mmCIF file of all heavy atoms in Angstrom:
data_model
loop_
_atom_site.group_PDB
_atom_site.id
_atom_site.type_symbol
_atom_site.label_atom_id
_atom_site.label_comp_id
_atom_site.label_asym_id
_atom_site.label_seq_id
_atom_site.Cartn_x
_atom_site.Cartn_y
_atom_site.Cartn_z
ATOM 1 N N VAL A 1189 5.918 20.969 -2.518
ATOM 2 C CA VAL A 1189 4.783 21.395 -1.739
ATOM 3 C C VAL A 1189 4.558 22.831 -1.805
ATOM 4 O O VAL A 1189 5.401 23.702 -1.625
ATOM 5 C CB VAL A 1189 4.951 20.924 -0.157
ATOM 6 C CG1 VAL A 1189 3.741 21.195 0.647
ATOM 7 C CG2 VAL A 1189 5.378 19.439 -0.015
ATOM 8 N N ILE A 1190 3.308 23.179 -2.013
ATOM 9 C CA ILE A 1190 2.780 24.567 -2.164
ATOM 10 C C ILE A 1190 1.746 24.867 -1.103
ATOM 11 O O ILE A 1190 0.831 24.065 -0.947
ATOM 12 C CB ILE A 1190 2.281 24.783 -3.619
ATOM 13 C CG1 ILE A 1190 3.299 24.494 -4.647
ATOM 14 C CG2 ILE A 1190 1.777 26.301 -3.654
ATOM 15 C CD1 ILE A 1190 2.667 24.517 -5.985
ATOM 16 N N GLY A 1191 1.950 25.844 -0.263
ATOM 17 C CA GLY A 1191 0.952 26.222 0.699
ATOM 18 C C GLY A 1191 0.530 27.644 0.720
ATOM 19 O O GLY A 1191 1.368 28.503 0.185
ATOM 20 N N ASP A 1192 -0.539 27.986 1.320
ATOM 21 C CA ASP A 1192 -1.043 29.358 1.387
ATOM 22 C C ASP A 1192 -1.139 29.909 2.761
ATOM 23 O O ASP A 1192 -0.611 29.379 3.648
ATOM 24 C CB ASP A 1192 -2.499 29.456 0.712
ATOM 25 C CG ASP A 1192 -3.546 28.805 1.467
ATOM 26 O OD1 ASP A 1192 -3.285 28.273 2.581
ATOM 27 O OD2 ASP A 1192 -4.753 28.711 1.061
ATOM 28 N N GLU A 1193 -1.709 31.083 2.923
ATOM 29 C CA GLU A 1193 -1.724 31.686 4.311
ATOM 30 C C GLU A 1193 -2.752 31.017 5.149
ATOM 31 O O GLU A 1193 -2.785 31.298 6.344
ATOM 32 C CB GLU A 1193 -2.137 33.191 4.040
ATOM 33 C CG GLU A 1193 -1.064 34.105 3.472
ATOM 34 C CD GLU A 1193 0.085 34.316 4.295
ATOM 35 O OE1 GLU A 1193 0.081 33.917 5.468
ATOM 36 O OE2 GLU A 1193 1.084 34.905 3.823
ATOM 37 N N GLU A 1194 -3.684 30.202 4.583
ATOM 38 C CA GLU A 1194 -4.668 29.478 5.391
ATOM 39 C C GLU A 1194 -4.170 28.090 5.530
ATOM 40 O O GLU A 1194 -3.006 27.709 5.248
ATOM 41 C CB GLU A 1194 -5.956 29.579 4.746
ATOM 42 C CG GLU A 1194 -6.486 31.050 4.560
ATOM 43 C CD GLU A 1194 -7.785 31.097 3.797
ATOM 44 O OE1 GLU A 1194 -8.674 30.257 4.122
ATOM 45 O OE2 GLU A 1194 -8.062 32.025 3.097
ATOM 46 N N ASP A 1195 -5.018 27.198 6.083
ATOM 47 C CA ASP A 1195 -4.688 25.797 6.238
ATOM 48 C C ASP A 1195 -4.894 24.979 5.029
ATOM 49 O O ASP A 1195 -5.757 24.005 4.930
ATOM 50 C CB ASP A 1195 -5.571 25.256 7.377
ATOM 51 C CG ASP A 1195 -5.124 23.853 7.876
ATOM 52 O OD1 ASP A 1195 -4.012 23.457 7.481
ATOM 53 O OD2 ASP A 1195 -5.821 23.240 8.562
ATOM 54 N N PHE A 1196 -4.095 25.331 3.993
ATOM 55 C CA PHE A 1196 -4.166 24.613 2.689
ATOM 56 C C PHE A 1196 -2.817 24.397 2.192
ATOM 57 O O PHE A 1196 -1.926 25.279 2.314
ATOM 58 C CB PHE A 1196 -4.970 25.486 1.726
ATOM 59 C CG PHE A 1196 -4.880 24.984 0.238
ATOM 60 C CD1 PHE A 1196 -5.828 23.983 -0.155
ATOM 61 C CD2 PHE A 1196 -4.002 25.285 -0.667
ATOM 62 C CE1 PHE A 1196 -5.819 23.481 -1.402
ATOM 63 C CE2 PHE A 1196 -3.937 24.766 -1.850
ATOM 64 C CZ PHE A 1196 -4.849 23.865 -2.294
ATOM 65 N N SER A 1197 -2.654 23.122 1.590
ATOM 66 C CA SER A 1197 -1.299 22.842 0.950
ATOM 67 C C SER A 1197 -1.620 21.796 -0.033
ATOM 68 O O SER A 1197 -2.564 20.945 0.070
ATOM 69 C CB SER A 1197 -0.196 22.387 1.878
ATOM 70 O OG SER A 1197 -0.563 21.240 2.478
ATOM 71 N N VAL A 1198 -0.768 21.655 -1.122
ATOM 72 C CA VAL A 1198 -0.957 20.598 -2.078
ATOM 73 C C VAL A 1198 0.542 20.194 -2.395
ATOM 74 O O VAL A 1198 1.476 20.983 -2.512
ATOM 75 C CB VAL A 1198 -1.695 21.103 -3.357
ATOM 76 C CG1 VAL A 1198 -1.024 22.304 -3.924
ATOM 77 C CG2 VAL A 1198 -1.674 19.921 -4.411
ATOM 78 N N SER A 1199 0.712 18.807 -2.546
ATOM 79 C CA SER A 1199 1.998 18.261 -2.891
ATOM 80 C C SER A 1199 1.974 17.569 -4.261
ATOM 81 O O SER A 1199 0.926 16.900 -4.623
ATOM 82 C CB SER A 1199 2.381 17.157 -1.846
ATOM 83 O OG SER A 1199 2.385 17.689 -0.577
ATOM 84 N N PHE A 1200 2.973 17.850 -5.114
ATOM 85 C CA PHE A 1200 3.186 17.231 -6.419
ATOM 86 C C PHE A 1200 4.373 16.333 -6.371
ATOM 87 O O PHE A 1200 5.405 16.784 -5.809
ATOM 88 C CB PHE A 1200 3.171 18.304 -7.447
ATOM 89 C CG PHE A 1200 1.972 19.161 -7.642
ATOM 90 C CD1 PHE A 1200 1.708 20.242 -6.848
ATOM 91 C CD2 PHE A 1200 1.052 18.843 -8.691
ATOM 92 C CE1 PHE A 1200 0.683 21.028 -6.895
ATOM 93 C CE2 PHE A 1200 -0.078 19.624 -8.705
ATOM 94 C CZ PHE A 1200 -0.374 20.784 -7.909
ATOM 95 N N ASP A 1201 4.297 15.226 -7.095
ATOM 96 C CA ASP A 1201 5.541 14.352 -7.221
ATOM 97 C C ASP A 1201 6.397 15.128 -8.333
ATOM 98 O O ASP A 1201 6.066 16.111 -8.975
ATOM 99 C CB ASP A 1201 5.134 12.962 -7.640
ATOM 100 C CG ASP A 1201 4.537 12.749 -8.970
ATOM 101 O OD1 ASP A 1201 4.816 13.618 -9.846
ATOM 102 O OD2 ASP A 1201 3.841 11.754 -9.124
ATOM 103 N N HIS A 1202 7.586 14.528 -8.437
ATOM 104 C CA HIS A 1202 8.587 15.253 -9.339
ATOM 105 C C HIS A 1202 8.313 14.986 -10.837
ATOM 106 O O HIS A 1202 9.096 15.434 -11.718
ATOM 107 C CB HIS A 1202 9.951 14.743 -8.869
ATOM 108 C CG HIS A 1202 10.355 15.451 -7.510
ATOM 109 N ND1 HIS A 1202 10.062 16.720 -7.273
ATOM 110 C CD2 HIS A 1202 11.140 15.008 -6.541
ATOM 111 C CE1 HIS A 1202 10.521 17.022 -6.105
ATOM 112 N NE2 HIS A 1202 11.147 15.909 -5.588
ATOM 113 N N GLU A 1203 7.172 14.247 -11.174
ATOM 114 C CA GLU A 1203 6.777 14.252 -12.574
ATOM 115 C C GLU A 1203 5.655 15.252 -12.787
ATOM 116 O O GLU A 1203 5.287 15.501 -13.908
ATOM 117 C CB GLU A 1203 6.121 12.845 -12.835
ATOM 118 C CG GLU A 1203 7.160 11.773 -13.126
ATOM 119 C CD GLU A 1203 8.026 11.974 -14.428
ATOM 120 O OE1 GLU A 1203 7.401 12.466 -15.418
ATOM 121 O OE2 GLU A 1203 9.186 11.812 -14.351
ATOM 122 N N GLY A 1204 5.236 15.968 -11.661
ATOM 123 C CA GLY A 1204 4.182 17.070 -11.780
ATOM 124 C C GLY A 1204 2.809 16.519 -11.544
ATOM 125 O O GLY A 1204 1.837 17.375 -11.595
ATOM 126 N N ARG A 1205 2.599 15.319 -11.101
ATOM 127 C CA ARG A 1205 1.247 14.847 -10.743
ATOM 128 C C ARG A 1205 1.011 15.235 -9.366
ATOM 129 O O ARG A 1205 1.764 15.048 -8.401
ATOM 130 C CB ARG A 1205 1.125 13.356 -10.841
ATOM 131 C CG ARG A 1205 1.232 12.751 -12.257
ATOM 132 C CD ARG A 1205 1.434 11.306 -12.231
ATOM 133 N NE ARG A 1205 2.829 10.953 -11.779
ATOM 134 C CZ ARG A 1205 3.688 9.858 -12.286
ATOM 135 N NH1 ARG A 1205 3.117 9.185 -13.142
ATOM 136 N NH2 ARG A 1205 4.830 9.683 -11.811
ATOM 137 N N TRP A 1206 -0.339 15.629 -9.004
ATOM 138 C CA TRP A 1206 -0.660 15.940 -7.619
ATOM 139 C C TRP A 1206 -0.653 14.621 -6.840
ATOM 140 O O TRP A 1206 -1.106 13.626 -7.274
ATOM 141 C CB TRP A 1206 -1.811 16.795 -7.484
ATOM 142 C CG TRP A 1206 -3.195 16.134 -7.580
ATOM 143 C CD1 TRP A 1206 -3.954 16.015 -8.657
ATOM 144 C CD2 TRP A 1206 -4.027 15.628 -6.487
ATOM 145 N NE1 TRP A 1206 -5.095 15.425 -8.365
ATOM 146 C CE2 TRP A 1206 -5.221 15.204 -6.988
ATOM 147 C CE3 TRP A 1206 -3.796 15.602 -5.123
ATOM 148 C CZ2 TRP A 1206 -6.245 14.694 -6.238
ATOM 149 C CZ3 TRP A 1206 -4.798 15.071 -4.373
ATOM 150 C CH2 TRP A 1206 -5.948 14.548 -4.925
ATOM 151 N N PHE A 1207 -0.311 14.694 -5.567
ATOM 152 C CA PHE A 1207 -0.164 13.444 -4.707
ATOM 153 C C PHE A 1207 -1.070 13.472 -3.527
ATOM 154 O O PHE A 1207 -1.775 12.519 -3.238
ATOM 155 C CB PHE A 1207 1.376 13.431 -4.304
ATOM 156 C CG PHE A 1207 1.727 12.189 -3.542
ATOM 157 C CD1 PHE A 1207 1.880 10.886 -4.173
ATOM 158 C CD2 PHE A 1207 1.924 12.232 -2.158
ATOM 159 C CE1 PHE A 1207 2.239 9.818 -3.513
ATOM 160 C CE2 PHE A 1207 2.303 11.121 -1.434
ATOM 161 C CZ PHE A 1207 2.473 9.928 -2.091
ATOM 162 N N ASN A 1208 -1.115 14.624 -2.770
ATOM 163 C CA ASN A 1208 -2.020 14.802 -1.726
ATOM 164 C C ASN A 1208 -2.286 16.274 -1.461
ATOM 165 O O ASN A 1208 -1.442 17.147 -2.030
ATOM 166 C CB ASN A 1208 -1.523 14.072 -0.364
ATOM 167 C CG ASN A 1208 -0.266 14.622 0.059
ATOM 168 O OD1 ASN A 1208 0.107 15.672 0.067
ATOM 169 N ND2 ASN A 1208 0.678 13.576 0.449
ATOM 170 N N ALA A 1209 -3.287 16.519 -0.801
ATOM 171 C CA ALA A 1209 -3.685 17.864 -0.526
ATOM 172 C C ALA A 1209 -4.383 18.009 0.794
ATOM 173 O O ALA A 1209 -5.154 17.082 1.251
ATOM 174 C CB ALA A 1209 -4.633 18.502 -1.592
ATOM 175 N N LEU A 1210 -4.207 19.123 1.525
ATOM 176 C CA LEU A 1210 -4.848 19.432 2.699
ATOM 177 C C LEU A 1210 -5.711 20.653 2.568
ATOM 178 O O LEU A 1210 -5.283 21.693 2.035
ATOM 179 C CB LEU A 1210 -3.883 19.659 3.914
ATOM 180 C CG LEU A 1210 -2.901 18.507 4.168
ATOM 181 C CD1 LEU A 1210 -1.926 18.968 5.343
ATOM 182 C CD2 LEU A 1210 -3.748 17.343 4.641
ATOM 183 N N ALA A 1211 -6.936 20.622 2.943
ATOM 184 C CA ALA A 1211 -7.860 21.722 2.850
ATOM 185 C C ALA A 1211 -8.726 21.772 4.055
ATOM 186 O O ALA A 1211 -9.686 21.049 4.250
ATOM 187 C CB ALA A 1211 -8.807 21.641 1.637
ATOM 188 N N GLY A 1212 -8.349 22.711 5.074
ATOM 189 C CA GLY A 1212 -9.108 22.732 6.301
ATOM 190 C C GLY A 1212 -8.939 21.401 7.049
ATOM 191 O O GLY A 1212 -7.738 21.051 7.303
ATOM 192 N N THR A 1213 -9.918 20.759 7.396
ATOM 193 C CA THR A 1213 -9.824 19.535 8.146
ATOM 194 C C THR A 1213 -9.867 18.360 7.296
ATOM 195 O O THR A 1213 -9.821 17.252 7.726
ATOM 196 C CB THR A 1213 -10.981 19.395 9.098
ATOM 197 O OG1 THR A 1213 -12.318 19.250 8.368
ATOM 198 C CG2 THR A 1213 -11.115 20.548 10.164
ATOM 199 N N TRP A 1214 -9.815 18.579 5.953
ATOM 200 C CA TRP A 1214 -9.944 17.421 5.043
ATOM 201 C C TRP A 1214 -8.516 17.106 4.341
ATOM 202 O O TRP A 1214 -7.785 18.026 4.070
ATOM 203 C CB TRP A 1214 -10.904 17.760 3.865
ATOM 204 C CG TRP A 1214 -12.294 17.726 4.421
ATOM 205 C CD1 TRP A 1214 -12.981 18.884 4.759
ATOM 206 C CD2 TRP A 1214 -13.094 16.677 4.660
ATOM 207 N NE1 TRP A 1214 -14.243 18.447 5.185
ATOM 208 C CE2 TRP A 1214 -14.370 17.126 5.193
ATOM 209 C CE3 TRP A 1214 -13.002 15.240 4.469
ATOM 210 C CZ2 TRP A 1214 -15.411 16.217 5.445
ATOM 211 C CZ3 TRP A 1214 -14.102 14.402 4.794
ATOM 212 C CH2 TRP A 1214 -15.258 14.924 5.288
ATOM 213 N N ARG A 1215 -8.259 15.841 4.159
ATOM 214 C CA ARG A 1215 -7.021 15.378 3.468
ATOM 215 C C ARG A 1215 -7.480 14.636 2.245
ATOM 216 O O ARG A 1215 -8.311 13.726 2.403
ATOM 217 C CB ARG A 1215 -6.228 14.524 4.407
ATOM 218 C CG ARG A 1215 -4.873 13.983 3.742
ATOM 219 C CD ARG A 1215 -4.255 13.046 4.667
ATOM 220 N NE ARG A 1215 -3.824 13.550 5.923
ATOM 221 C CZ ARG A 1215 -2.561 14.246 6.196
ATOM 222 N NH1 ARG A 1215 -1.797 14.308 5.181
ATOM 223 N NH2 ARG A 1215 -2.420 14.663 7.260
ATOM 224 N N TYR A 1216 -6.875 14.973 1.145
ATOM 225 C CA TYR A 1216 -7.213 14.292 -0.122
ATOM 226 C C TYR A 1216 -5.859 13.507 -0.567
ATOM 227 O O TYR A 1216 -4.746 14.105 -0.404
ATOM 228 C CB TYR A 1216 -7.520 15.193 -1.262
ATOM 229 C CG TYR A 1216 -8.814 15.980 -0.935
ATOM 230 C CD1 TYR A 1216 -8.858 17.150 -0.103
ATOM 231 C CD2 TYR A 1216 -10.008 15.539 -1.517
ATOM 232 C CE1 TYR A 1216 -9.999 17.760 0.172
ATOM 233 C CE2 TYR A 1216 -11.238 16.199 -1.320
ATOM 234 C CZ TYR A 1216 -11.215 17.346 -0.417
ATOM 235 O OH TYR A 1216 -12.385 18.009 -0.266
ATOM 236 N N ARG A 1217 -6.034 12.352 -1.101
ATOM 237 C CA ARG A 1217 -4.984 11.509 -1.525
ATOM 238 C C ARG A 1217 -5.177 11.008 -2.983
ATOM 239 O O ARG A 1217 -6.321 10.413 -3.142
ATOM 240 C CB ARG A 1217 -4.602 10.405 -0.575
ATOM 241 C CG ARG A 1217 -3.662 9.311 -1.088
ATOM 242 C CD ARG A 1217 -2.101 9.772 -0.956
ATOM 243 N NE ARG A 1217 -1.393 8.869 -1.785
ATOM 244 C CZ ARG A 1217 -0.918 7.642 -1.277
ATOM 245 N NH1 ARG A 1217 -1.309 7.328 -0.047
ATOM 246 N NH2 ARG A 1217 -0.155 6.868 -1.987
ATOM 247 N N ARG A 1218 -4.295 11.168 -3.954
ATOM 248 C CA ARG A 1218 -4.449 10.570 -5.240
ATOM 249 C C ARG A 1218 -3.468 9.446 -5.436
ATOM 250 O O ARG A 1218 -2.248 9.677 -5.236
ATOM 251 C CB ARG A 1218 -4.168 11.726 -6.342
ATOM 252 C CG ARG A 1218 -4.428 11.144 -7.709
ATOM 253 C CD ARG A 1218 -3.989 12.095 -8.809
ATOM 254 N NE ARG A 1218 -4.295 11.482 -10.097
ATOM 255 C CZ ARG A 1218 -3.474 10.718 -10.696
ATOM 256 N NH1 ARG A 1218 -2.237 10.385 -10.147
ATOM 257 N NH2 ARG A 1218 -3.742 10.140 -11.956
ATOM 258 N N GLY A 1219 -3.932 8.400 -5.827
ATOM 259 C CA GLY A 1219 -3.087 7.133 -6.114
ATOM 260 C C GLY A 1219 -2.567 7.259 -7.573
ATOM 261 O O GLY A 1219 -3.091 7.949 -8.389
#
Side-chain angles (χ1 to χ4, degrees):
V1189 186
I1190 302 168
D1192 70 2
E1193 291 287 356
E1194 302 179 35
D1195 189 13
F1196 172 86
S1197 67
V1198 56
S1199 302
F1200 295 85
D1201 67 28
H1202 289 321
E1203 283 294 319
R1205 295 166 288 214
W1206 80 270
F1207 184 76
N1208 57 47
L1210 301 176
T1213 61
W1214 292 96
R1215 180 188 299 273
Y1216 296 82
R1217 168 78 190 279
R1218 181 187 183 277

